Structure formats: structure tokens, C-alpha cells
């Protein structure tokens, strides 16, 4: 019997049911495949997605659940077929743990749009094509030890701080995908709803040479947005008259809000041939929107979605963050707070209520 075929008992923060607090307990990881690496989890970013999954907001959660998909770990064992990683490497672990590896998108490193559906890091059967392998039994990075396919363990550029790397592994990748697909030098970009995702979107769009306007409610976040690189700020969200004043101004709007809203005011803010790109996911009970065909067709505007990113853009994004580290580091106004895993429930409560002050993201540490 090789090490690869042995199950492993480790400790993890587990959610036993919808809306229940996470508890520390032992789990058994399934036998490791020869194509996997085993990692000691060092840190894991806390993402709103983990809260949505805890509460089954999207109707795709399976329990018991070990969440966590913005993890950084140190490789402590490699499967017999692993070629690119070795013991001691520090790697990032994201929302995707596997894909078909044979469709045209996977062959391009765009596993996030795998034609058969990628395998989510801790998704199970309730997630349909994104959980068919039942690998939520491996769980995510709210575990002291995790096992992951080599291809989806991203070796981090040396010198990239954990507080920068972790939030990029999901939230950063989600908006980076949208920026790569829609933004080039000179593009007029609007980023709507400024939290962790919105802040990253501003920074990435600026790195691509865009003119960026931050859209939020009121002026509370104006100085913060300008401080991280936005060229302009408009506290117009929720105010139809204020949004109407921005008619025809943008090539692309990246909407990071997790709350459903009327898309018509956003579509009016686009230039002809512009794109409204939604990356924030509302609850399953409030997913529906509508828009009229005539203004869509005659202005050739587009409504699109984007979620996470594949291996090609993930590697590109992490290197960009390392190369332009000054841009992506925390600032006085946007900081990452490190908390022990034992305080994950308290951190979740603060994040979901918005009572986290200047915190950009929470970073959980074993």
C-alpha cells in the first residue's frame, strides 16, 4: 500500500447544517490520488461565498461542509505522478479542484467554463455539474490539512504576502476574469458596489490602463476608492436620477453587488456596444431580472456574467500582483485582518453585517 491510497484524519471547522455555526472537529480525508498534493493549510481568506454556502443561499450546499477556497498551504506530500510541485512549495488553493481536462476550454486553461462543469473545491451533488464527483468529501481549506489536484494548487510567486494572495484566489480571480475579457488600455470602466471584489476590480482595471469610475451608495467610500486608484467616484447607486446623469458613459460595468437590482439603469449608463457584466450572485430566491429587447438590440449592448477564473488567468493574475505589489498591498483604509480559525463564526458575523470597519478581508490562520 502506498501513501497515496491511505485516508487521513485531520481537524477542520465544519458546518453541520444550514445556518449553523462552524465547529472544530475531526474529519477523514479520502485516499489521495497519485495526481494530488497534500498541504498543511497556513491561511485561508474568508469570502462571502463561504457565508452563502453555510446558509445555502444558492440552494447548492451539501452538509456536513468544510468550506474555504482562498487557501494558502505548504506542500507536505506529493502524489507519485506529480511533476511540477515538491515538498515545501507554498501554493494557493481556489474555488476549483478539478475539471474534465479535455474540452476546448480546459485545454486553454479556462477551466472555469469547462464544458462538462468544473468540480468545485467543496461542492457536492446539490451543485449539479459543478459537484458531480462528490468531492466535497475532500472539503476546502477550513481544514488543517487538505488534498488537491496538482493542477489546481498554484505555486505562489516568491515574496507575495499572504494578505495579498488569499483574497485574490477567489474574489480577485472573479473580477480579474471580467477585466481580462472586457478591458484594455483606454476602456472606460465602471465598478459597481465597492467591497473586496470592487476594490480588486478597480486595481486590476487600472493595471490594464482603463479609466475607472467607482459606483457606490452615497459618498462614504469616495476617498477610499480614489485612494486605491479610481479616477472618478459617483455615489449614485439606488438613485435613478443620479444614475441617469451617467447615461452613455461606460464601455463596461462590472457589478459586484450580491443583491439583485434593476439592470435598466445600468444598461442606460453604457455606450452603444457596451457590456454589463455581473459577478455578484444574489440569493437563489431573488435571481430573476428582465430587460426589454428593443434597447438591447438597437444599441447592441450585452448582458454577461463571469465567475472565478481558470489556471491560465490565475497564474497571470498572481504574477501581476507580485510585479505590481505596491498597488495590491493593503492600505490604511483597506486592511486585511488576521484572526485564528477558532474565531471564524465571529468573523463571519462581522463580514455579513458589514460591521468590519476598515477591514478589506479576513484572513483565517491555524
Amino acid at each position: 500500500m502506498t501513501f497515496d491510497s491511505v485516508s487521513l484524519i485531520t481537524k477542520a471547522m465544519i458546518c453541520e447544517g444550514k445556518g449553523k455555526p462552524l465547529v472544530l472537529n475531526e474529519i477523514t480525508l479520502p485516499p489521495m490520488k497519485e495526481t494530488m498534493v497534500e498541504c498543511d493549510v497556513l491561511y485561508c481568506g474568508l469570502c462571502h461565498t463561504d457565508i452563502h454556502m453555510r446558509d445555502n443561499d444558492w440552494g447548492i450546499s451539501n452538509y456536513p461542509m468544510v468550506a474555504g477556497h482562498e487557501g494558502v498551504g505548504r506542500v507536505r506530500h506529493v502524489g507519485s505522478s506529480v511533476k511540477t510541485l515538491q515538498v515545501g512549495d507554498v501554493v494557493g488553493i481556489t474555488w476549483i479542484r478539478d475539471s474534465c481536462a479535455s474540452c476546448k476550454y480546459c485545454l486553454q486553461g479556462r477551466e472555469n467554463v469547462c464544458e462538462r462543469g468544473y468540480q468545485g473545491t467543496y461542492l457536492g451533488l446539490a451543485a449539479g455539474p459543478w459537484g458531480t464527483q462528490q468531492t466535497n468529501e475532500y472539503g476546502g481549506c477550513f481544514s488543517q490539512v487538505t488534498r488537491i489536484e496538482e493542477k489546481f494548487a498554484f505555486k505562489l510567486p516568491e515574496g507575495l504576502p499572504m494578505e495579498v494572495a488569499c483574497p485574490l484566489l477567489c474574489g480577485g480571480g472573479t473580477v480579474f476574469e471580467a477585466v481580462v475579457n472586457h478591458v484594455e488600455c483606454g476602456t472606460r470602466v465602471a465598478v459597481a458596489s465597492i467591497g473586496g471584489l470592487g476594490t480588486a476590480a478597480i486595481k486590476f482595471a487600472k493595471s490594464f490602463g482603463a479609466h475607472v469610475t467607482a459606483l457606490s451608495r452615497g459618498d462614504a467610500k469616495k476617498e477610499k476608492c480614489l485612494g486605491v486608484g479610481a479616477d472618478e467616484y459617483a455615489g449614485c447607486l439606488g438613485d435613478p436620477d443620479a444614475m441617469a446623469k451617467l447615461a452613455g458613459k461606460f464601455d463596461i460595468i462590472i457589478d459586484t453587488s450580491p443583491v439583485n437590482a434593476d439592470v435598466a439603469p445600468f444598461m442606460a449608463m453604457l455606450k452603444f456596444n457596451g457590456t454589463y457584466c455581473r459577478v455578484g450572485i444574489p440569493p437563489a430566491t431573488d435571481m430573476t431580472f428582465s430587460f426589454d429587447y428593443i434597447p438591447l438590440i438597437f444599441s447592441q449592448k450585452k448582458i454577461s456574467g463571469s465567475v472565478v477564473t481558470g489556471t491560465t488567468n490565475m497564474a497571470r493574475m498572481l504574477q501581476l500582483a507580485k510585479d505590481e505589489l505596491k498597488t495590491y498591498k493593503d492600505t490604511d483604509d483597506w486592511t486585511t485582518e488576521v484572526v485564528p480559525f477558532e474565531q471564524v463564526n465571529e468573523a463571519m458575523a462581522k463580514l455579513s453585517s458589514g460591521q468590519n470597519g476598515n477591514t478589506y478581508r479576513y484572513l483565517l490562520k491555524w
Side-chain angles (χ1 to χ4, degrees), residues 26-221:
E26 288 186 341
I27 61 170
T28 300
L29 297 180
M32 197 170 93
K33 300 175 184 178
E34 63 183 12
T35 52
M36 286 181 162
V37 296
E38 180 179 282
C39 305
D40 288 313
V41 176
L42 305 175
Y43 296 89
C44 187
L46 176 59
C47 177
H48 269 285
T49 295
D50 297 313
I51 298 173
H52 289 306
M53 291 295 293
R54 178 198 65 185
D55 298 340
N56 200 21
D57 287 339
W58 301 329
I60 60 171
S61 299
N62 285 101
Y63 306 101
M65 176 192 302
V66 179
H69 57 284
E70 293 182 346
V72 169
R74 182 174 286 110
V75 176
R76 69 179 205 174
H77 181 77
V78 297
S80 57
S81 296
V82 170
K83 298 178 180 179
T84 63
L85 295 172
Q86 59 186 3
V87 173
D89 285 343
V90 177
V91 298
I93 298 166
T94 74
W95 179 248
I96 303 176
R97 72 159 51 248
D98 206 357
S99 69
C100 81
S102 59
C103 73
K104 65 179 181 180
Y105 295 115
C106 285
L107 293 175
Q108 297 169 11
R110 299 183 64 201
E111 296 87 355
N112 54 309
V113 285
C114 171
E115 291 181 333
R116 299 181 189 177
Y118 62 76
Q119 174 59 49
T121 295
Y122 59 88
L123 298 183
L125 295 180
W130 298 280
T132 54
Q133 297 176 24
Q134 301 186 57
T135 47
N136 79 315
E137 60 187 348
Y138 281 104
C141 295
F142 286 8
S143 173
Q144 289 183 342
V145 179
T146 193
R147 290 172 165 177
I148 187 79
E149 289 290 332
E150 169 192 19
K151 185 176 183 180
F152 294 97
F154 298 89
K155 186 174 181 180
L156 298 184
E158 187 174 348
L160 186 64
M162 302 297 177
E163 65 270 17
V164 175
C166 283
L168 293 181
L169 294 172
C170 174
T174 292
V175 293
F176 188 75
E177 180 80 7
V179 169
V180 167
N181 289 337
H182 300 292
V183 178
E184 58 188 18
C185 186
T187 303
R188 297 193 71 90
V189 177
V191 178
S193 188
I194 311 300
L197 286 173
T199 304
I202 292 170
K203 293 181 178 183
F204 286 134
K206 288 301 296 180
S207 288
F208 276 54
H211 181 283
V212 181
T213 301
L215 308 179
S216 189
R217 291 177 180 269
D219 290 333
K221 295 184 178 181

Side-chain angles (χ1 to χ4, degrees), residues 18 26 47 53 150 183 207 253 309 313 335 358 362:
K18 180 178 178 178
E26 288 186 341
C47 177
M53 291 295 293
E150 169 192 19
V183 178
S207 288
I253 298 172
T309 194
N313 281 336
T335 61
N358 288 340
Y362 286 105

